């Protein structure tokens, strides 16, 4: 299942951002495809991409992405 997770900013590892990252990693371990959307990308976005989690800053690109399962 593809799951869209949103947050305002992914620049510093605050409490909500850390929780969002843990949820995305847990979903990925269980075979789902998390996609994270934020208007402000930064350090955490890079870390998520390094963990093979899709991160976007344009919702139109979500419709174009295909499930990687």
């Amino acid at each position: 299942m593809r799951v869209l997770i949103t947050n305002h900013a992914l620049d510093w590892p605050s409490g909500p951002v850390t929780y969002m990252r843990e949820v995305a990693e847990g979903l990925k371990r269980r075979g789902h495809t998390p996609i994270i959307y934020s208007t402000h990308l930064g350090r955490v976005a890079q870390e998520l991409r390094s963990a093979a989690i899709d991160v976007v800053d344009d919702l139109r690109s979500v419709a174009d992405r295909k499930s990687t399962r």
Side-chain angles (χ1 to χ4, degrees):
M1 171 179 12
R2 293 185 339 154
V3 179
L4 179 65
I5 302 169
T6 65
N7 196 51
H8 177 67
L10 294 175
D11 44 7
W12 297 103
S14 64
V17 171
T18 300
Y19 178 74
M20 178 207 57
R21 178 175 47 206
E22 290 176 6
V23 168
E25 290 171 346
L27 287 166
K28 187 160 184 70
R29 279 193 304 273
R30 288 166 181 79
H32 301 290
T33 304
I35 302 169
I36 298 177
Y37 165 76
S38 177
T39 56
H40 300 283
L41 305 183
R43 180 177 136 198
V44 176
Q46 292 171 348
E47 292 172 3
L48 289 162
R49 287 176 174 153
S50 293
I53 295 173
D54 287 336
V55 178
V56 299
D57 61 357
D58 182 354
L59 285 175
R60 291 175 290 193
S61 66
V62 172
D64 297 338
R65 293 177 185 265
K66 296 194 188 257
S67 177
T68 57
R69 282 180 63 188

